[in-house]
Amino acid sequence: MTNPLFYAKILLFGEYGIIEDSQGLTLPYSFYKGTLKFSGLESDFEKKSNDSLLKYSEYLKELQLPESFQLDISKFKKDIKKGLFFDSNIPQGYGVGSSGALVAAIFSRYSVENFEPEQVSKDQLKNLRTIFGQMESYFHGKSSGIDPLICYMNLPILIESRDSVDRVSVPASHEGKGAIFLIDSGMTGETGPMVQIFFEKMKTEGFRKTMKEEFIRYNNACIDAFLKKEMTPLFRNLKSLSVWAYEHFKPMIPESIYNAWKKGLDTNAYYLKLCGSGGGGYILGFTKDYKKAEKMLEGFHKEVIYRF
């Protein structure tokens, strides 16, 4: 059996905004990965994973998928009996796509039709996103399908609108003073409750207005500047985005991060933003001078994901 690897993902821009038709930019992150494997299920991890797959197979059996995207559930169930498990080091509840990688791995192995990610058309991307959204809803209640799509394609994806996604080329990372990095908040976050808080907020007209007129504007401007490698407008809009989130996404920002978030805004040494739904897990940091930011964020575990 070949064991293709499915990498984690980072939603660089677009958290919550993609629900409201903003753009989004997401990248594969190869530091974390997962793959389907067989074993004698000796360890607790393997047993637990195998049990989870069995429960998940029942959910998938009931899904009404279109003809050309059918899954071979009976083969999946047979493999589960033989000791199938998902061998993954992707942390759960950290906003880096642990369930997305699992969904991508299952679709890749059990899809009746064979899709070659390199040859997938823009229309097929849209359809795959819908299928993956249905498959991943088991884990989050409601899923955009973006995480599994990234993990499956293993390419940067630009979410152009609610109905349109496409591959995109991202400026190459190179050694420089600046960096995009992850900060570990030290706690896990659950997507479901955070999304619920967001939908509650969206019921108020004031929040809907600022979401559309400010958040989406800053978010889309950040994506545009990042893809063009224009650092001045990028950091100007990043600051606006970070201030906006500090004021409006307070419940999604882990308490352990509050002071560090504010310190970045006060000093302009770095700016923080949510990585995915927040509530815990990783927070994203952007800085023009990583050495300085690193010193100021002493005590936090950090991982650099991109240099410039």
Side-chain angles (χ1 to χ4, degrees), residues 2-159:
T2 55
N3 291 333
L5 291 169
F6 292 89
Y7 297 130
K9 62 84 216 183
I10 305 284
L11 181 63
L12 215 51
F13 297 104
E15 70 286 357
Y16 294 104
I18 54 175
I19 299 172
E20 291 304 309
D21 223 17
S22 81
Q23 290 184 346
L25 180 64
T26 184
L27 315 172
Y29 183 42
S30 61
F31 185 75
Y32 295 120
K33 51 189 109 28
T35 188
L36 287 166
K37 277 185 185 173
F38 288 98
S39 85
L41 307 179
E42 281 86 28
S43 79
D44 280 350
F45 174 83
E46 291 168 5
K47 265 203 247 4
K48 203 173 158 189
S49 174
N50 181 265
D51 285 344
S52 299
L53 289 180
L54 184 60
K55 290 191 186 98
Y56 187 41
S57 70
E58 291 301 324
Y59 168 82
L60 292 178
K61 197 171 75 175
E62 301 303 318
L63 268 192
Q64 303 292 309
L65 297 176
E67 195 58 47
S68 52
F69 295 93
Q70 291 291 319
L71 297 170
D72 188 341
I73 301 298
S74 61
K75 185 183 174 207
F76 184 32
K77 281 180 171 289
K78 276 178 196 154
D79 284 351
I80 292 167
K81 275 190 178 149
K82 287 184 204 161
L84 188 75
F85 76 104
F86 190 55
D87 188 14
S88 166
N89 70 347
I90 307 171
Q92 293 184 2
Y94 263 67
V96 286
S98 55
S99 58
L102 173 62
V103 167
I106 290 170
F107 185 83
S108 172
R109 188 166 164 74
Y110 298 102
S111 159
V112 176
E113 292 243 348
N114 193 23
F115 293 90
E116 292 296 328
E118 310 77 46
Q119 285 151 21
V120 168
S121 69
K122 194 173 173 180
D123 270 353
Q124 282 177 317
L125 271 182
K126 185 182 166 183
N127 293 332
L128 280 171
R129 178 185 173 177
T130 306
I131 302 304
F132 289 149
Q134 287 177 264
M135 289 175 70
E136 202 190 26
S137 290
Y138 172 82
F139 302 99
H140 300 315
K142 186 172 168 36
S143 161
S144 68
I146 286 295
D147 286 9
L149 186 66
I150 307 313
C151 301
Y152 182 70
M153 297 296 293
N154 195 28
L155 290 166
I157 298 276
L158 176 66
I159 301 143

Side-chain angles (χ1 to χ4, degrees), residues 16 62 90 144 146 160 188 194-196 257 262 267 303:
Y16 294 104
E62 301 303 318
I90 307 171
S144 68
I146 286 295
E160 297 165 331
T188 57
M194 294 297 114
V195 171
Q196 208 42 54
I257 300 288
K262 183 83 167 64
T267 59
E303 289 169 31

